[in-house]
Amino acid sequence: MTTATWAWTTLKRLQSTDLTVEKFWSAASVWNAKPHLLIKHLMGAERLVSESLAGEYGDVLSSVATKDLPPAAWVGDPTETFRCLGLSSGKDIQVEVWKLFTKKPVEWNDYFRLSVFDRLNSTAVFYDCTPKKNGDNIKYAYGIHFVDDWLELRLAMPSNKSLNDKKTLHWMTDIFFPKFFNWTINDKGSKPTISSLSHVCVQMYCNLYSRLKEKYAKSLMNVWTEVTDPKKYIHKDIATATYLMLLWGDTKPCFIDMGCGNGLLVHVLNSEGYSGVGLDVRSRKMWAQYPQSTVLKVTSVDPSSPDCKFPQADWIIGNHSDELSPWVPVIASRSNYNCKFFLLPCCPFEFNGSRYQRIDSSLSQYHDYLKYLEKTSTNVFKFNVKTDRLRIPSTKRTCIIGWSKNYLPQEVDQVVQDIEKFANSKFNENVQFVPRPSEERVRNCTKLDKDLLRSVVDTVADVLIKSSGGWKCRVTLGELAKQIGEERLKKLKKECGGLQTLIRNHRYIFVVEKGTVGFRKPVKDCGKVWKKHKCWFYHNYPDKCPLNEDECCNIH
């Protein structure tokens, strides 16, 4: 397949009987709109142009590649641009131009991509039409062609040129194409999903997130005092703050963050000039690192009480607020008619504090819980609800936004009465909402009686030693539990996660795999600390340590 100036080469082919033309176009739409799923330095994309043209995709590619058009050519009405390129309107092919936003937005660092779809020939072509600063850059396009049970990856280049860039070829053949094939097989594009950042401008999000990250991330990383991963939680809350600031636009609302945890979201919002307070049942070590302008308060909130309301608040926030999550819309309803809510649920809880029980077995517990919260917020709490997906390092990243009330101000009293009645129906006569204790118990075996801990470890080791198989021996957790006995197991469960937690905490002795336990055979250079602890195997295992003293990281 050739044009006057461009030649096409097949780079790779993959076959599956599950391939259909519908699945092919679904996958093409995913890659077209969401390149950030595969290119990690991208934040998102915005479609600038969508036009139906006459002719073949090769004609469009040749015409666009001949000139390095400035970005302004694709803004507004592109009809004149296509006319200058010798292209006319028609129904043969669909042409789109997208702007791809990088995570570090610099004017020259954003990309423009031409997408051409020929549905008659089941071909999708993609071309980087970013203006080149250096005319020597080799131009190329790549396309996916579907025929029968095959997907073909094709490379297009000017007839007198060749692509010797091994990194680019590797990305196309070994990263992009297998992923695209997988999307096609799994019909990714047909699955109903909530698109991300659908209620804010992606370009503004990229710019603001980059600014906030530059301003706060490094300094917070240097003073992080929590046991949680700073790389995850700092970027998560900066991204959440970015989203809220764009959602609020030019306004500066007053907010209440229910169950604010480490207080980072409140800190960023307060520092950016938003008035609000974070409430939690206990303080965190990180609170001491924030300036006085960050308003955080220790208080035990009873959301089931009609008095739990904030009349001056414009927004109630629930950011992975666990037991308080279902109550966030209720508190927003009580507070005042104009009060809105932002809810980012994580662990599923009911109104009485018990774990939420899934209703729809066709959904995961998390997605069923989202459906439950959205339904009650709309039908019971009478909110006009929006949903969106944040760009945060978490699998629980779908948010529910109570944007406005769908009833009149004079109906507030009656609606709130109905809400309280609904909430109370979730409680039995002897069951009331119990907030978390102000002190979090340590349940990781560190508070266990040393004699109990030693006896359990000795029992597990003794069972493994007596079993045949040596280093390859594996015994089920159930069999070990029988040997340890009910009395000791109860003590373990009371002070830690149980037998498995204790065994995992002794990873220098044991390995846990698929419900079985065995000895972890020492290997050379495996320890981060050299010659600080005694080698358990040298002093306790019948065959001693398999390593020589100069090879083992522990003391013989």
Side-chain angles (χ1 to χ4, degrees):
M1 179 174 59
T2 62
T3 68
T5 57
W6 286 66
W8 289 83
T9 304
T10 299
L11 296 180
K12 194 170 185 177
R13 304 177 79 222
L14 291 173
Q15 183 184 32
S16 172
T17 55
D18 292 331
L19 290 173
T20 65
V21 69
E22 291 80 11
K23 291 181 178 181
F24 165 72
W25 285 115
S26 292
S29 66
V30 171
W31 175 241
N32 190 41
K34 302 177 181 180
H36 55 274
L37 294 179
L38 197 54
I39 306 176
K40 297 306 179 183
H41 71 270
L42 293 180
M43 179 64 77
E46 177 186 16
R47 184 168 56 192
L48 303 178
V49 175
S50 180
E51 196 81 16
S52 294
L53 299 177
E56 299 181 353
Y57 57 85
D59 299 332
V60 176
L61 182 59
S62 297
S63 300
V64 174
T66 301
K67 299 180 181 180
D68 281 333
L69 295 171
W74 305 115
V75 178
D77 184 6
T79 305
E80 182 63 24
T81 300
F82 287 124
R83 190 186 67 79
C84 293
L85 292 172
L87 302 170
S88 58
S89 298
K91 297 183 178 180
D92 297 328
I93 53 176
Q94 183 72 21
V95 177
E96 296 181 358
V97 176
W98 289 73
K99 186 176 183 180
L100 314 184
F101 303 115
T102 59
K103 289 184 177 178
K104 292 185 177 180
V106 182
E107 188 60 33
W108 54 267
N109 215 17
D110 288 331
Y111 305 99
F112 293 86
R113 187 182 67 187
L114 177 76
S115 304
V116 187
F117 304 124
D118 184 345
R119 292 191 174 271
L120 183 62
N121 295 299
S122 301
T123 300
V125 176
F126 304 96
Y127 170 69
D128 178 8
C129 58
T130 307
K132 305 296 188 294
K133 290 184 176 294
N134 186 344
D136 295 334
N137 286 349
I138 297 176
K139 298 177 180 180
Y140 66 90
Y142 60 96
I144 308 292
H145 177 59
F146 170 74
V147 56
D148 296 328
D149 295 336
W150 290 88
L151 276 187
E152 292 183 352
L153 172 65
R154 295 175 173 179
L155 175 69
M157 298 197 66
S159 300
N160 59 342
K161 299 288 185 179
S162 61
L163 183 63
N164 298 317
D165 187 342
K166 293 182 179 180
K167 185 177 180 181
T168 299
L169 290 171
H170 165 72
W171 180 85
M172 283 194 288
T173 57
D174 300 329
I175 298 176
F176 163 71
F177 191 51
K179 178 62 73 173
F180 187 95
F181 182 76
N182 186 54
W183 289 343
T184 308
I185 295 298
N186 295 314
D187 203 9
K188 182 178 177 67
S190 68
K191 296 177 182 178
T193 58
I194 301 170
S195 58
S196 60
L197 305 182
S198 58
H199 298 303
V200 299
C201 172
V202 174
Q203 185 171 14
M204 292 176 66
Y205 180 90
C206 294
N207 292 332
L208 181 57
Y209 175 75
S210 180
R211 181 178 72 79
L212 295 181
K213 181 181 174 184
E214 186 73 24
K215 184 176 180 180
Y216 297 105
K218 186 176 181 180
S219 59
L220 288 168
M221 203 86 70
N222 292 334
V223 297
W224 191 255
T225 56
E226 303 298 310
V227 296
T228 51
D229 181 7
K231 291 182 180 179
K232 175 182 177 180
Y233 285 90
I234 290 175
H235 293 96
K236 169 189 168 294
D237 284 337
I238 289 177
T240 305
T242 302
Y243 184 87
L244 285 171
M245 290 167 65
L246 291 175
L247 192 69
W248 295 339
D250 296 331
T251 63
K252 292 278 186 176
C254 175
F255 68 88
I256 303 293
D257 187 355
M258 308 294 296
C260 63
N262 59 43
L264 180 52
L265 177 61
V266 178
H267 167 62
V268 175
L269 291 175
N270 284 166
S271 300
E272 292 298 313
Y274 295 84
S275 62
V277 57
L279 307 178
D280 207 287
V281 71
R282 60 185 178 88
S283 65
R284 306 298 198 275
K285 293 178 182 178
M286 195 63 196
W287 289 18
Q289 304 298 326
Y290 301 135
Q292 291 184 352
S293 58
T294 300
V295 186
L296 302 167
K297 295 182 180 179
V298 176
T299 182
S300 181
V301 174
D302 180 6
S304 63
S305 169
D307 296 327
C308 182
K309 55 185 176 181
F310 305 91
Q312 304 304 316
D314 300 307
W315 283 80
I316 305 297
I317 296 174
N319 177 24
H320 286 190
S321 45
D322 294 343
E323 293 96 332
L324 292 175
S325 291
W327 289 98
V328 167
V330 178
I331 297 169
S333 298
R334 290 184 190 136
S335 296
N336 61 73
Y337 177 74
N338 294 313
C339 188
K340 305 173 177 63
F341 74 84
F342 172 86
L343 179 58
L344 185 63
C346 183
C347 302
F349 284 94
E350 262 288 4
F351 286 85
N352 59 14
S354 63
R355 283 281 181 166
Y356 172 77
Q357 299 298 314
R358 183 172 52 169
I359 300 172
D360 187 349
S361 60
S362 67
L363 300 173
S364 67
Q365 187 179 39
Y366 171 67
H367 286 95
D368 188 61
Y369 186 55
L370 288 173
K371 182 180 177 182
Y372 169 69
L373 293 177
E374 185 179 356
K375 185 177 179 180
T376 54
S377 297
T378 302
N379 298 338
V380 180
F381 308 145
K382 306 297 183 182
F383 275 94
N384 293 311
V385 168
K386 299 179 180 179
T387 57
D388 207 348
R389 294 180 77 192
L390 305 190
R391 298 276 179 85
I392 58 175
S394 171
T395 56
K396 311 294 176 58
R397 57 193 183 99
T398 300
C399 67
I400 302 171
I401 306 166
W403 192 251
S404 61
K405 310 290 200 308
N406 62 5
Y407 56 89
L408 299 175
Q410 55 266 34
E411 299 175 302
V412 168
D413 292 341
Q414 182 58 53
V415 172
V416 171
Q417 285 181 23
D418 294 341
I419 292 172
E420 299 291 0
K421 185 177 180 180
F422 171 82
N424 289 332
S425 71
K426 296 294 182 176
F427 293 92
N428 297 325
E429 213 172 281
N430 299 320
V431 178
Q432 295 296 321
F433 181 86
V434 179
R436 288 186 178 185
S438 57
E439 291 188 10
E440 189 174 36
R441 290 183 62 193
V442 177
R443 295 171 58 84
N444 60 359
C445 299
T446 58
K447 301 298 182 181
L448 278 176
D449 177 77
K450 298 300 181 185
D451 291 335
L452 172 65
L453 190 150
R454 191 179 301 110
S455 71
V456 173
V457 171
D458 289 346
T459 299
V460 174
D462 189 53
V463 171
L464 290 172
I465 289 171
K466 291 179 179 179
S467 302
S468 59
W471 295 108
K472 294 182 179 180
C473 171
R474 295 291 184 270
V475 177
T476 65
L477 284 165
E479 180 61 32
L480 291 174
K482 292 178 183 178
Q483 297 295 327
I484 290 169
E486 188 174 341
E487 184 178 347
R488 284 192 290 177
L489 286 175
K490 284 182 179 179
K491 292 180 180 178
L492 290 181
K493 197 67 178 176
K494 184 179 178 181
E495 295 296 336
C496 73
L499 176 60
Q500 186 170 195
T501 300
L502 186 149
I503 294 174
R504 287 188 184 277
N505 284 356
H506 289 75
R507 68 191 72 226
Y508 58 95
I509 305 175
F510 306 113
V511 58
V512 181
E513 292 178 332
K514 298 179 180 179
T516 64
V517 180
F519 283 121
R520 186 183 297 274
K521 187 176 181 179
V523 295
K524 296 180 183 180
D525 303 324
C526 66
K528 294 182 179 179
V529 180
W530 186 259
K531 300 298 183 184
K532 186 175 180 180
H533 305 288
K534 287 186 177 181
C535 176
W536 186 91
F537 293 99
Y538 181 81
H539 294 279
N540 297 278
Y541 193 64
D543 295 333
K544 303 289 185 179
C545 177
L547 301 177
N548 296 325
E549 186 173 3
D550 59 343
E551 296 173 328
C552 182
C553 64
N554 294 314
I555 302 170
H556 282 190

